Structure formats: structure tokens, C-alpha cells
Amino acid sequence: LIVVRELVRTYRMGEVTVQALRGVSFAIDQGEFVAIMGPSGSGKSTLMNMIGCLDAPSGGSYQLAGVEVSALSDEALSELRARTLGFVFQRYQLLPRQTALQNVEMPLIYRGVPSAQRRWRARIALTIVGMGERLDHRPNQLSGGQQQRIAIARALVGSPSVILADEPTGALDTATGAEIMALFQRLNRIQGVTVILVTHDPEVARYAGRVLRVRDGVLIGDGPPPAR
Amino acid sequence: LIVVRELVRTYRMGEVTVQALRGVSFAIDQGEFVAIMGPSGSGKSTLMNMIGCLDAPSGGSYQLAGVEVSALSDEALSELRARTLGFVFQRYQLLPRQTALQNVEMPLIYRGVPSAQRRWRARIALTIVGMGERLDHRPNQLSGGQQQRIAIARALVGSPSVILADEPTGALDTATGAEIMALFQRLNRIQGVTVILVTHDPEVARYAGRVLRVRDGVLIGDGPPPAR
Ligand SMILES: Nc1ncnc2c1ncn2[C@@H]1O[C@H](COP(=O)(O)OP(=O)(O)OP(=O)(O)O)[C@@H](O)[C@H]1O
Ligand SMILES: Nc1ncnc2c1ncn2[C@@H]1O[C@H](COP(=O)(O)OP(=O)(O)OP(=O)(O)O)[C@@H](O)[C@H]1O
Ligand SMILES: [Mg+2]
Ligand SMILES: [Mg+2]
């Protein structure tokens, strides 16, 4: 499903060059549950942006569902992304002037889903993450963990075949975090959804079947999750 | 140092009323290391905003260093806050158009510290949190955990007597998080800095001498940190 080869991402700011990714290669099959771990600044979010088709690499190749992503037009890319992926951003990236419901409806608006159906599906997604009573709240009227859950609901509402989640339980207490991880687990085991998540938490990584370890923009490990 | 009595905070949005804090009472002495824990949406950040003089309660009283905070003028309040407190926000709240260095200099600009000294102290604070090589980067050129460390450096740069930190290691890998907690521990034990932090992580809470547990805007526990 996902084939990444020698992926490079370099940021240039005047004289300074940051090599966020320095040649990363791996493959992920449909139905896998993969965790990405590594120190702060090691390239995890950069890698997620590549996989999520939100950013283009400086070098190397990325194939998603057999398609070379760099060969696609912007339009075809947006369409592939909307159809296939659900993304939970590290900083949530909610629209501040939209309500929780409107934020979660966004992916369905993009897909042309009719409004009654869209509203219904968004309500369900919000209820699943425990935010069913906050539909009309705006992000700045919600706690950090509540905002994170809105972002998770938005990633799920389009029933994507791949969920990319950048530290999806970072702002959640243990009990709520466990509920969200159980949800991802069900989607993975029962519906075959491919889950790729970034985490610093070994407890979260244990839900995955496989852990990719990153350090300084390089893959330094690819194996089972940390033992207890 | 900190005396909170029957603190109430109610948010009204049209017909909906959210009771974020429903009458919270406790006292914290100079030199204590306190953790605040509780479910997502339970009122922790709201309580931190009260203690940090960033928000006024709807009811009850709050005394800081013997002064009733609600009796102060805005000016006197800002001055007390700048002199006494260092705050790490849950969402970091960095100025997006300022560099890391400029962001960390802010509290010292407010205090009228001369520019050479200010720059020097900001550099030291950034080096202490491992961000010494990113002085000229802007927040959107930094990873989540790097931004969080800038926010921590900014809270420390004024050598405050009280540090308020809302989930200060949420975006950090285990090793970096442990470095930050060791830093807070040194400031507390060696320099007598009062540390009050919100966390979801029992590992972090164990650095504290005392844990205040919140649920639905009410204090439900006040005792030692969770056992291993
Ligand atoms: N500006 C606001 N307007 C309306 N309601 C608010 C506002 N800020 C917070 N709330 C509500 O007050 C309650 C407490 O929020 P608070 O941010 O203190 O929770 P928290 O314990 O910090 O949660 P988390 O662990 O998710 O960060 C929540 O129900 C939240 O939705
Ligand atoms: N827009 C940008 N411009 C310049 N440098 C950047 C940019 N975005 C990220 N970087 C740098 O690229 C490196 C990797 O960043 P990335 O966000 O992928 O790290 P991360 O592993 O997600 O870290 P964290 O765990 O702290 O979220 C970091 O050194 C970061 O400073
Ligand atoms: Mg990141
Ligand atoms: Mg909070």
C-alpha cells in the first residue's frame, strides 16, 4: 500500500539547511498497525506529512496504492488524499471560527456528501470520541484534550482506509487515551483500516504490530513494539 | 504562598453554561512541587489560568503572596505576574512571527532588562532546554517538541519564584521529557522554586510531592503521587 524509497526532505532558511529526512525507506501493507517513535525533532511529523501527501519530498520516491505520488497533479493528489486518508495533526489544525460539528463535516464537504448525511455522520463521529455534547462549541471554548478529540473525529468521519495520527493521545488523560486507542484497534482489526501513528508513549506503541524508529532523519529500527 | 477558596469559573455561551470550576479550595506553600491531574475537560487549565492570574474567577477568592488577586488593578496584576510567575501554556502560545530567541526574551523586555543582558539570559535558557542551536528559527520551522521547549525556556528566563506548567512534557520523547523534569526538580530542590504542573502522566506526577486530583470542576483528591 505504502512504499517509501530513499525519502529526503531538506529545509533551507537562508544559509541554514536542516536535513529533516535523510533517505528513509520502508513499506507498509494494507491492514497494518504501525507506530513511529523517536526523539523530538527527529523527523516523525515530516515523515507523516510525506505519507499524508501534505508535503513533497526533496528527493526519493513515495508510492501510495501503486501510484507514484510525485507524478500526480495537485488536483489528483487532493482527490486521492480525500478519498483514502484521515489525518490527525500534532497541533490539531482545527478551523477556529467553525464549530466542532462544522470542523468534522469538512472532509465530507470536500467530497460532495449531501448536507443532511454529512451532519449525521459528523454527529456520529463526535459521539464516538465522547464529544457529542459539544457540537456547537468553537475550538477556543474547548479544553486541549477536547480539541484533540475533535481532530480525531474529523480524521474518522470520511471512513478512510488509512488513518495517519501524529501523537493522537498526547493531550488526553489515561482513560480517554485508552478509549481512543481501543477505537483505532477496532477500526484496524474489524474494518481493516491501516493505522500509522506517531507516539512518544510505549503504552500507545504496544497497540501497534510494528514500530519504526527514527533518529536524526534516519530509520534506525523496524521491529516489534517495546516489551513491557 | 497560594491560597484558593471556593473558586468558581463559569463560561456562558448563549443558552449554554459550562461550570469549569465549581468551588475549589486548597493552599500551596513556597517551595512545594505539586501536580494537578484529572480527565480531559475537568478544569485543570482553567484552574492554572486562575493561579497564573491570566483569568478572573466568577466567584471565590485567590490570594497570591498574601495579596487578594481580585482586588488588584490590571497594572498591578501584570506587574505581580511578571515578577513572580513563569507560565508554560498547554498550547505553548509562542509568537509566530518572532524567532525562538525573541520569544524567550519577551518576559525580560516586559521587565525592562537591558538588551545585551536580555539576549544573554535568553540564550542560556534556550541552551538549558536543548534548543541553543535554534535561536533564529521561527515556531513554524520547529517540531512540536521543539516549540514546547521554547515555551519552557520562556517560562524560566525571568528566574520566577513560581513555575506553572500545563502539560510541559506532552510533546516530548521520554528522554527529553526526563531532562525537563530533572530541570524542574533541580529548580525546586536547589533554588526553592515552587512548581505547579498539570499532567496526565503518572511518571511525571511522581516528581511532585503532592497531587491535586480534579474531576468535573471539583477537587476530589489531595495527597501523595500515585505509587509505582
Ligand atoms: N473559553 C471557554 N468557553 C467555554 N467553555 C470553556 C472555555 N474554556 C474551557 N471551557 C470548558 O471548561 C471545561 C474545563 O476546561 P479545561 O480547559 O480547564 O479542561 P482541562 O482539564 O484542562 O482539559 P484537558 O486535559 O483536555 O486539557 C471544559 O468542559 C471546557 O470545554
Ligand atoms: N518548516 C520548517 N522549516 C525548517 N525546519 C523545519 C521545518 N519543519 C520542521 N523542521 C525541522 O525538521 C526537523 C524534524 O522536524 P519534525 O517536526 O519532523 O520532528 P518530530 O520528530 O515530529 O519532532 P517532535 O517529536 O518534537 O514533534 C526538526 O529539526 C525541525 O526543526
Ligand atoms: Mg512532531
Ligand atoms: Mg487543559
Side-chain angles (χ1 to χ4, degrees):
Chain A
L1 178 68
I2 286 170
V3 182
V4 161
R5 231 174 296 166
E6 290 304 317
L7 221 54
V8 175
R9 181 63 168 101
T10 306
Y11 294 108
R12 278 196 187 78
M13 293 158 298
E15 293 187 17
V16 177
T17 298
V18 177
Q19 297 216 21
L21 294 176
R22 301 163 191 262
V24 177
S25 306
F26 58 83
I28 295 175
D29 299 330
Q30 178 68 48
E32 282 202 63
F33 194 142
V34 180
I36 300 173
M37 302 185 81
S40 174
S42 56
K44 306 180 298 295
S45 295
T46 302
L47 179 58
M48 290 292 271
N49 290 339
M50 298 288 134
I51 299 172
C53 306
L54 295 164
D55 184 23
S58 321
S61 96
Y62 169 35
Q63 278 185 28
L64 173 63
V67 180
E68 176 57 47
V69 167
S70 55
L72 294 177
S73 67
D74 279 357
E75 219 171 342
L77 187 61
S78 296
E79 209 256 324
L80 173 64
R81 196 169 57 217
R83 212 175 355 105
T84 321
L85 308 173
F87 208 115
V88 185
F89 295 91
Q90 187 169 4
R91 312 302 305 285
Y92 322 153
Q93 262 103 306
L94 297 175
L95 299 172
R97 294 190 189 173
Q98 305 272 354
T99 62
L101 189 70
Q102 288 166 339
N103 264 285
V104 176
E105 287 186 79
M106 278 291 142
L108 303 184
I109 289 174
Y110 190 82
R111 283 200 200 173
V113 174
S115 74
Q117 221 194 94
R118 203 172 68 207
R119 200 144 308 194
W120 184 67
R121 287 173 68 174
R123 282 169 168 274
I124 289 184
L126 281 160
T127 304
I128 287 171
V129 299
M131 293 301 301
E133 273 140 48
R134 296 309 184 96
L135 306 179
D136 302 324
H137 282 52
R138 290 186 169 71
N140 69 353
Q141 294 169 334
L142 295 169
S143 78
Q146 290 169 338
Q147 292 175 28
Q148 188 163 48
R149 283 183 275 164
I150 307 286
I152 292 165
R154 183 179 58 183
L156 303 179
V157 74
S159 307
S161 52
V162 183
I163 290 171
L164 301 171
D166 200 340
E167 301 190 42
T169 59
L172 302 175
D173 58 284
T174 324
T176 313
E179 283 172 40
I180 294 298
M181 291 313 299
L183 169 61
F184 286 154
Q185 193 170 55
R186 286 198 298 278
L187 290 168
N188 177 251
R189 289 180 180 176
I190 298 172
Q191 311 206 9
V193 174
T194 308
V195 178
I196 303 168
L197 53 78
V198 169
T199 185
H200 288 306
D201 188 346
E203 282 302 317
V204 168
R206 279 192 259 281
Y207 283 85
R210 176 183 171 202
V211 175
L212 297 173
R213 292 182 189 279
V214 202
R215 178 187 289 279
D216 286 330
V218 187
L219 201 61
I220 59 160
D222 184 345
R228 209 152 259 297
Chain B
L1 177 68
I2 286 170
V3 182
V4 161
R5 231 174 297 167
E6 291 304 316
L7 220 56
V8 175
R9 181 63 167 103
T10 305
Y11 295 106
R12 278 196 185 79
M13 294 156 299
E15 292 187 15
V16 178
T17 298
V18 177
Q19 298 216 19
L21 294 175
R22 303 165 191 261
V24 176
S25 305
F26 58 82
I28 295 175
D29 299 328
Q30 179 68 48
E32 280 203 65
F33 195 141
V34 181
I36 299 173
M37 302 184 82
S40 173
S42 56
K44 305 178 299 295
S45 295
T46 302
L47 179 57
M48 291 293 271
N49 290 338
M50 297 289 135
I51 298 172
C53 306
L54 296 163
D55 184 24
S58 321
S61 95
Y62 169 36
Q63 280 186 25
L64 173 63
V67 181
E68 176 57 46
V69 166
S70 56
L72 295 176
S73 67
D74 279 356
E75 220 174 341
L77 188 60
S78 296
E79 209 258 324
L80 173 65
R81 196 170 57 217
R83 211 172 359 105
T84 322
L85 307 173
F87 208 115
V88 185
F89 295 90
Q90 184 168 7
R91 312 305 302 286
Y92 322 153
Q93 260 104 306
L94 298 175
L95 299 172
R97 293 188 186 174
Q98 304 273 356
T99 62
L101 188 71
Q102 288 166 339
N103 264 285
V104 177
E105 288 187 79
M106 278 290 143
L108 303 183
I109 290 174
Y110 190 82
R111 282 202 203 172
V113 173
S115 73
Q117 221 194 95
R118 204 170 68 208
R119 199 143 308 194
W120 184 69
R121 286 173 68 173
R123 281 167 169 273
I124 289 183
L126 281 161
T127 303
I128 287 172
V129 300
M131 293 301 301
E133 275 139 48
R134 296 310 184 96
L135 306 178
D136 303 323
H137 281 54
R138 289 186 169 67
N140 69 352
Q141 295 168 334
L142 296 169
S143 76
Q146 290 169 336
Q147 291 175 29
Q148 187 162 48
R149 285 183 275 163
I150 308 287
I152 292 166
R154 183 180 57 183
L156 303 179
V157 75
S159 308
S161 52
V162 184
I163 291 170
L164 300 172
D166 200 337
E167 301 190 40
T169 59
L172 302 176
D173 60 276
T174 324
T176 313
E179 283 172 40
I180 293 298
M181 290 313 300
L183 169 61
F184 285 155
Q185 193 170 53
R186 284 197 300 276
L187 289 168
N188 176 251
R189 288 182 181 175
I190 298 171
Q191 311 206 10
V193 175
T194 307
V195 179
I196 303 169
L197 54 78
V198 170
T199 185
H200 287 306
D201 188 346
E203 283 303 317
V204 169
R206 278 192 260 281
Y207 284 86
R210 177 183 169 202
V211 175
L212 297 174
R213 292 182 188 279
V214 201
R215 177 187 289 278
D216 287 331
V218 186
L219 201 62
I220 59 159
D222 183 347
R228 207 152 259 299

